[in-house]
Amino acid sequence: SERTPSAVLDCFTITGGNAYEGQEPDWRLYGGGLFVFDGSPTFINCTVIANRAFDGAGMWLIGNSLVINSTFAGNGAGRFGGGISMMNSNPQIVNCVFTGNTAGSDPGYYGRGAGVDVQSGSNPAFINCTFSRNSTTLDSNSAGGGLSLTGFINATMQNCIVWGNSATLSSQINVQQSAVLTVTHSDIQGWTQGGVGNLSVDPRFADSDGLDNIIGTADDNLRLMSASPCIDAGDNAAVPADAADLNRNLNTSEPTPLDRDGAPRFFDDPAAVDTGSGVPPIVDMGAYEHGDCNGNGIPDLFDVSDGGSMDCNNNGVPDECEDDCNENGLEDACDVAGGTSQDCNDNLRPD
């Protein structure tokens, strides 16, 4: 995406991109899945998985993009930024998951920012994101398993979870040189720097390496289990306006109404104490809201796993809560996949 200030890309799955085969580094080796140069596109509902590059295996970014409701998993960088690498950028990254990404696979370089690597001149905002099981490899100087910031940077992190990442140095978050990171209402493993609403306790993910027990694959489940300290613990005021109009109601000034699953972003768990900020319902930390979308009194995660509700696309959300634009009782993506409805433009919505 080059010089595309207003493009909106609902990109679904991007996988298998390979911009790197061990050659000497240059611009052609950046951005295995997505390459944004001097543009400000919006990316929605992307699953960027198993791509490779020297820097920015999932995405290489220069610009002011909005990246929302997207997952970066199992991407591998030879040097920096397994999930995303950016410079001279001011992106807003919302409701995104970074899991199983790696950095530093090239023995000639040290790894940095396996989840996200932020380079000088950037001022990113991370809101309701989850970083888990990302890792830098090889060199003793490898740093920032979850997130790394190096240079003149002023970044913010709100309502996020950073847990279970690994690196030789600064396994969760690495801040170097003149970089500044302001963190509020987030759960970060080993965090000792204070800040409003911050935690350092096990977030209680459902199954961080999924049913296949392989990190960085599509079934990794970073939703929150019951009794997670991250439930109702975020800051409502930090949730940005719905610039992408996720719920298609033409109201882009309301707070972002949906989570990574497309479930309601604000949901009150009556069993949880409201430790966050704002008028209830209080938003959860992380990319997924712990909810009961069909109102049957059973958390969605268990509703599906116990067979109380069907989940044809295996995303942890009961089918009755998903989009059913033709009201035939089938979730749209499964309606198309099963051949019940036609989909001539391949956008996973019945014609």
Side-chain angles (χ1 to χ4, degrees):
S1 172
E2 185 170 359
R3 298 180 178 86
T4 51
S6 60
V8 178
L9 305 172
D10 200 334
C11 56
F12 298 101
T13 299
I14 296 174
T15 186
N18 191 348
Y20 179 54
E21 286 291 357
Q23 304 100 322
E24 286 300 312
D26 65 23
W27 287 101
R28 293 170 297 174
L29 309 182
Y30 292 11
L34 296 162
F35 185 100
V36 179
F37 180 77
D38 194 23
S40 301
T42 294
F43 296 93
I44 309 171
N45 298 327
C46 301
T47 298
V48 184
I49 188 167
N51 300 282
R52 296 184 67 237
F54 183 69
D55 278 8
M59 172 187 282
W60 170 256
L61 175 62
I62 298 178
N64 303 322
S65 293
L66 169 62
V67 184
I68 187 167
N69 281 28
S70 295
T71 297
F72 294 79
N75 301 289
R79 187 177 63 165
F80 302 155
I84 296 176
S85 188
M86 69 179 76
M87 66 182 300
N88 297 327
S89 299
N90 301 301
Q92 191 175 65
I93 300 176
V94 183
N95 292 350
C96 288
V97 175
F98 299 88
T99 180
N101 301 290
T102 61
S105 61
D106 191 316
Y109 300 89
Y110 68 90
R112 194 176 71 196
V116 176
D117 180 66
V118 183
Q119 300 177 35
S120 197
S122 298
N123 302 294
F126 300 95
I127 306 165
N128 281 106
C129 291
T130 299
F131 298 77
S132 178
R133 308 291 287 270
N134 304 285
S135 61
T136 60
T137 56
L138 298 178
D139 193 277
S140 60
N141 292 319
S142 293
L147 171 68
S148 181
L149 303 95
T150 307
F152 294 97
I153 295 165
N154 190 353
T156 60
M157 175 175 283
Q158 299 166 291
N159 299 349
C160 291
I161 301 174
V162 186
W163 198 271
N165 304 284
S166 60
T168 306
L169 304 171
S170 304
S171 57
Q172 306 308 315
I173 298 177
N174 175 55
V175 180
Q176 299 184 67
Q177 298 175 13
S178 300
V180 175
L181 174 65
T182 302
V183 180
T184 59
H185 290 92
S186 294
D187 186 14
I188 302 173
Q189 187 172 2
W191 186 254
T192 60
Q193 300 180 41
V196 177
N198 292 326
L199 306 174
S200 182
V201 291
D202 187 346
R204 294 181 58 115
F205 292 133
D207 188 357
S208 61
D209 58 5
L211 295 175
D212 62 6
N213 297 317
I214 300 174
I215 300 167
T217 55
D219 69 344
D220 294 356
N221 191 343
L222 298 174
R223 297 171 183 85
L224 301 175
M225 296 284 283
S226 294
S228 167
C230 298
I231 296 173
D232 296 348
D235 178 10
N236 287 357
V239 178
D242 186 21
D245 194 19
L246 292 181
N247 58 357
R248 304 180 186 182
N249 67 351
L250 303 182
N251 183 357
T252 57
S253 62
E254 66 178 339
T256 298
L258 305 178
D259 71 353
R260 175 62 185 101
D261 276 336
R265 178 74 272 189
F266 297 89
F267 180 84
D268 182 65
D269 183 344
V273 177
D274 290 344
T275 59
S277 176
V279 177
I282 304 295
V283 66
D284 295 349
M285 295 177 181
Y288 300 101
E289 192 81 4
H290 183 76
D292 177 20
C293 67
N294 55 13
N296 66 354
I298 302 172
D300 294 337
L301 181 65
F302 299 107
D303 197 1
V304 168
S305 64
D306 294 343
S309 290
M310 301 302 294
D311 179 22
C312 67
N313 57 356
N314 298 313
N315 69 348
V317 180
D319 287 347
E320 59 266 30
C321 301
E322 301 266 51
D323 287 340
D324 179 17
C325 66
N326 54 9
E327 298 182 353
N328 68 346
L330 296 173
E331 190 272 329
D332 289 342
C334 300
D335 192 359
V336 169
T340 312
S341 293
Q342 297 297 308
D343 178 23
C344 66
N345 59 349
D346 297 322
N347 68 348
L348 298 184
R349 290 181 62 81
D351 292 344

